[in-house]
Amino acid sequence: MDGISFDIRRGETFALLGESGCGKSMTALSLLQLLPPQAAGNVSGAVLLGGSDLLTFSEMAMQDVRGSRIAMIFQEPMTSLNPVLTVGDQIGEVLERHKGLRGKARRDRVLDLLDAVGIPDRTRRYRDYPHQLSGGMKQRVMIAIALAGEPELLIADEPTTALDVTIQAQILELLKQLQQESGMAILLITHDLGVVSGMADHVGVMYAGHIVELASRDAFFAKPLHPYSQKLFASLPGQHKRGQPLAVIQGSVPSLACEFKACRFADRCDFAWGTCREVAPRWLEVNQGHFARCHLNDPAITAPPRARPAPQVERHAANETLEAGQGLLVIDRLKVHFPIHQGLFKRTVGHVKAVDGVSLELQRGRTVALVGESGCGKTTVGKSVLQLIRPTAGSVRYNGVELTNMSVGALRRHRRDLQIIFQDPYSSMNPRMMVGDIIEEGMQAQNIGTPAQRRKRVEALLNQVGLSSEASQRYPHEFSGGQRQRICIARALAVDPKVIICDEPTSALDVSVQAQILNLLKGLQDELGLAYLFITHNMSVVEYLAHTVAVMYLGRIVEYGTVDEVLKEPKHPYTQALLSAVPTLDEGTQREVIRLQGDLPSPVDPPQGCHFHPRCSHALAVCRQRYPRYTKLTDSHQANCFLYGDGNDR
């Protein structure tokens, strides 16, 4: 951080926006004097809370501020909650420390807070441990802990990044409701422009330790002034950008250990010229209340007529040679049931029905998006298709060959055609192996080529995914998240696959890095005719990349159709709720968000009848009695719902 200035008024939300590594979280930690020791001694400036400068407070005095006047919700609730303390004890700690409550008074207040954050069955949850809660409920507990001290300022550091859109909508609505009731200020740290649009009153865009733009939400979304802000908007995927590459920000955020003497964004800017690399831009009020740090907005500096204009994007070349309707991978009534063992003799007392009758078809050069809440079985489908998890029943046929009954040796010969890209690239690579060896490993296992040919192939693959050949001599920890995901894509491509399972490959990435990965995947598909099963909960990515969409709920597909049919005219009530919860940048669109009651039921004991009926506002009597078969709405669109016929259209 270097000269950060902003103010947050009571009852308002200030959003701090920017890529990972730009200093957002460090800014938040500095307000609470929680910086690491090596950085804590170099803090200057002032942090005024109600007129008192927190930077002058001793550690003892700050202990009275943290959790009381200022509270913080961290990005990952599981690592923030104590796994050996119950929910009630963790919330009660704050009440005892800052409010002096003990005994029955403390318990009653904890139960009130659990009610306030919308946790059902509060008495039972009071005694639960964090691991017994879903992701959404853990985040609600974190909010309850933060609110226990009745703070004047709540710092929310990426509070919904790892959550599904339905749970994200619930959490954001909860924060707005609690803010209205208590009048607290919120500092919202995020890289999601949709969340900023729905939550913020004012926006600060941060880059390389500087705030480069500051404005009201309306002014910022109407006309962002800084080239970095403009590129963030241009990087967003969506329906209107199908068939053309997404705008990307080349390079990465510079190290904050550098000494900056000019514009920090110059090396990545489409409009930079000589002055940008020699003179630091001034902080200027371009319009009333709208500030920016850029030479393009400085009336004292004349920009050249062609200040490195943004390159014209070319449309992806569509692969017209594909055979329509060619079923490359056919999944038919796939089931994966995990046995539950109990007792000394490990008797089977039940099953977790993770996947319960899924049917899909992947065609060459096409993308099927598999969407749904966490816990619905999406990843299990992907792993069972590859036989990394053996199915309980059903069929998986690749090029007409059945995979489910193959021996390990026979299946090994088909591994090269079926590959996977995991959600977390770092944990899916061996940290002790160099990148070249990681990419080459699959070729060695399949006995592809000589050592010299494999090394040449590794260099070609690195170039193909946008990395230099020198990367082969480095280790995974030396790369950024986006670069590591490129390495995983190169590893998957090494054995010339025909089908790739993409398991949330962009969920943890900034929008600019996400754009690079999506461009790469789309370009490779057009060039090589790859088929993708794309597992995600990001609907804007689905709009941009997918050809067909399958919506999954509690182990089953509830709606299936083309991307336009499912996203523009959703029929199943669950799909409608899922899409209504997606944040939007279009302020002119007033959408009613459909709130789902309760959490996803357990796959151990799914509800009788339609699995969705306990959370469905349109449930009929028959929904509670039996599960609907699919109803064919068009030749390509179907839904498992009694609202569209008797479900016997087979």
Side-chain angles (χ1 to χ4, degrees):
M1 302 168 298
D2 187 8
I4 298 295
S5 297
F6 59 86
D7 61 270
I8 311 174
R9 298 179 180 88
R10 184 178 295 276
E12 289 190 350
T13 297
F14 181 86
L16 200 55
L17 179 70
E19 292 174 281
S20 298
C22 68
K24 304 187 303 295
S25 294
M26 293 296 281
T27 299
L29 293 174
S30 68
L31 304 185
L32 290 167
Q33 289 197 32
L34 290 175
L35 291 171
Q38 61 269 28
N42 298 313
V43 177
S44 61
V47 178
L48 301 178
L49 179 66
S52 302
D53 186 358
L54 298 184
L55 295 186
T56 65
F57 281 31
S58 66
E59 175 58 27
M60 187 67 71
M62 282 303 299
Q63 290 179 13
D64 292 328
V65 173
R66 300 184 195 119
S68 176
R69 299 186 68 188
I70 303 179
M72 188 164 181
I73 305 169
F74 294 94
Q75 180 173 356
E76 179 46 67
M78 194 60 215
T79 57
S80 304
L81 295 172
N82 191 327
V84 299
L85 291 181
T86 64
V87 165
D89 285 340
Q90 295 191 57
I91 301 173
E93 279 184 329
V94 181
L95 295 171
E96 192 168 327
R97 172 68 177 80
H98 294 293
K99 299 297 181 182
L101 297 181
R102 290 177 175 79
K104 185 177 183 299
R106 188 183 89 155
R107 176 184 168 82
D108 289 346
R109 179 57 181 152
V110 170
L111 293 175
D112 288 344
L113 285 166
L114 291 175
D115 256 348
V117 297
I119 291 183
D121 197 1
R122 61 178 189 169
T123 305
R124 179 167 67 90
R125 295 305 184 187
Y126 180 96
R127 300 188 298 270
D128 279 353
Y129 290 88
H131 73 272
Q132 296 174 278
L133 307 180
S134 67
M137 283 202 286
K138 284 196 281 276
Q139 196 64 288
R140 288 171 183 267
V141 170
M142 283 295 301
I143 294 173
I145 293 172
L147 295 176
E150 299 175 5
E152 300 167 48
L153 172 65
L154 177 66
I155 301 173
D157 187 3
E158 301 274 12
T160 62
T161 294
L163 303 179
D164 299 311
V165 288
T166 50
I167 301 172
Q168 173 180 269
Q170 294 172 12
I171 296 298
L172 295 178
E173 183 184 41
L174 173 63
L175 288 176
K176 285 195 286 189
Q177 176 189 336
L178 295 171
Q179 183 181 45
Q180 291 169 358
E181 293 172 357
S182 65
M184 67 181 175
I186 296 179
L187 172 59
L188 176 66
I189 297 172
T190 184
H191 61 251
D192 190 325
L193 285 162
V195 170
V196 172
S197 177
M199 286 289 293
D201 296 293
H202 291 86
V203 182
V205 182
M206 197 167 182
Y207 184 80
H210 261 169
I211 289 185
V212 296
E213 186 165 357
L214 184 66
S216 67
R217 176 192 58 192
D218 293 343
F220 177 71
F221 281 89
K223 187 179 180 181
L225 296 177
H226 197 280
Y228 176 60
S229 306
Q230 295 166 2
K231 262 307 183 66
L232 290 178
F233 279 95
S235 298
L236 293 173
Q239 177 75 26
H240 61 289
K241 296 180 182 178
R242 286 180 66 88
Q244 65 183 40
L246 298 171
V248 299
I249 308 175
Q250 300 297 337
S252 57
V253 179
S255 170
L256 300 187
C258 301
E259 182 179 351
F260 298 100
K261 296 182 179 179
C263 176
R264 304 183 181 201
F265 187 59
D267 290 341
R268 306 176 72 193
C269 182
D270 290 335
F271 303 97
W273 71 97
T275 303
C276 301
R277 296 180 176 83
E278 297 167 359
V279 181
R282 297 191 295 160
W283 180 244
L284 296 169
E285 186 173 15
V286 182
N287 300 311
Q288 185 175 3
H290 196 160
F291 298 82
R293 194 187 302 272
C294 180
H295 291 314
L296 289 173
N297 299 301
D298 192 341
I301 294 178
T302 302
R306 295 179 60 84
R308 248 182 74 192
Q312 296 296 313
V313 295
E314 297 180 1
R315 292 185 174 275
H316 285 297
N319 195 334
E320 303 293 346
T321 62
L322 302 179
E323 297 179 32
Q326 182 185 11
L328 185 64
L329 183 74
V330 179
I331 305 162
D332 186 32
R333 304 185 188 188
L334 186 70
K335 294 185 179 182
V336 181
H337 295 177
F338 298 106
I340 302 171
H341 300 292
Q342 281 187 2
L344 180 63
F345 298 103
K346 300 296 181 183
R347 290 178 296 181
T348 300
V349 296
H351 288 86
V352 177
K353 298 178 180 179
V355 179
D356 198 25
V358 166
S359 298
L360 293 170
E361 182 176 304
L362 273 71
Q363 299 173 11
R364 182 172 175 267
R366 311 284 284 181
T367 298
V368 175
L370 189 59
V371 302
E373 293 174 281
S374 295
C376 71
K378 303 187 301 294
T379 297
T380 305
V381 169
K383 290 182 177 179
S384 60
V385 165
L386 299 177
Q387 307 303 302
L388 299 176
I389 297 174
R390 285 291 192 173
T392 305
S395 169
V396 179
R397 294 190 302 277
Y398 170 70
N399 259 346
V401 178
E402 182 62 49
L403 302 181
T404 57
N405 55 17
M406 277 190 178
S407 66
V408 174
L411 189 61
R412 188 182 185 91
R413 292 192 293 273
H414 290 276
R415 290 281 184 214
R416 64 181 299 174
D417 293 333
L418 305 163
Q419 290 291 302
I420 187 169
I421 302 169
F422 293 99
Q423 179 175 357
D424 184 352
Y426 189 67
S427 63
S428 65
M429 290 189 284
N430 189 331
R432 297 179 179 86
M433 291 177 67
M434 287 192 292
V435 164
D437 296 330
I438 290 171
I439 297 173
E440 188 182 347
E441 190 175 25
M443 291 186 282
Q444 287 179 321
Q446 293 289 337
N447 296 316
I448 298 174
T450 64
Q453 290 172 330
R454 290 197 293 265
R455 284 194 295 272
K456 188 175 181 180
R457 171 75 169 149
V458 168
E459 291 182 6
L461 285 165
L462 287 170
N463 291 329
Q464 191 172 18
V465 299
L467 296 173
S468 67
S469 56
E470 289 77 15
S472 64
Q473 302 300 312
R474 295 161 63 188
Y475 290 90
H477 73 272
E478 299 180 70
F479 296 89
S480 67
Q483 289 172 324
R484 284 197 285 262
Q485 197 62 287
R486 288 170 180 267
I487 293 167
C488 287
I489 293 172
R491 175 176 60 183
L493 293 173
V495 291
D496 293 321
K498 304 299 184 293
V499 177
I500 298 182
I501 311 296
C502 303
D503 188 5
E504 301 270 16
T506 64
S507 65
L509 304 178
D510 296 315
V511 289
S512 56
V513 181
Q514 173 183 266
Q516 296 173 12
I517 299 302
L518 292 178
N519 283 344
L520 176 60
L521 290 173
K522 181 59 179 171
L524 291 169
Q525 184 176 63
D526 291 339
E527 178 186 349
L528 304 174
L530 299 172
Y532 294 142
L533 177 60
F534 203 95
I535 298 168
T536 185
H537 60 252
N538 188 328
M539 293 302 170
S540 61
V541 171
V542 173
E543 285 181 327
Y544 175 73
L545 195 64
H547 298 93
T548 55
V549 182
V551 182
M552 194 168 180
Y553 185 81
L554 208 64
R556 296 183 178 181
I557 303 296
V558 297
E559 186 164 359
Y560 182 85
T562 67
V563 64
D564 287 338
E565 288 171 333
V566 175
L567 299 190
K568 291 183 178 179
E569 297 182 19
K571 298 301 183 183
H572 196 282
Y574 175 63
T575 310
Q576 294 168 356
L578 204 63
L579 295 177
S580 76
V582 178
T584 177
L585 302 186
D586 188 357
E587 297 179 33
T589 303
Q590 296 296 324
R591 299 180 309 162
E592 178 188 358
V593 178
I594 301 170
R595 307 298 179 196
L596 295 181
Q597 301 301 315
D599 292 302
L600 192 72
S602 170
V604 176
D605 185 23
Q608 184 178 354
C610 174
H611 292 169
F612 186 62
H613 86 260
R615 307 173 75 189
C616 180
S617 59
H618 302 286
L620 307 172
V622 68
C623 301
R624 298 172 176 83
Q625 298 167 5
R626 59 190 177 91
Y627 195 89
R629 293 185 175 183
Y630 78 76
T631 297
K632 195 171 184 179
L633 305 169
T634 70
D635 288 342
S636 55
H637 193 185
Q638 65 188 51
N640 289 61
C641 184
F642 288 115
L643 294 175
Y644 307 99
D646 61 5
N648 291 313
D649 293 349
R650 284 183 185 274

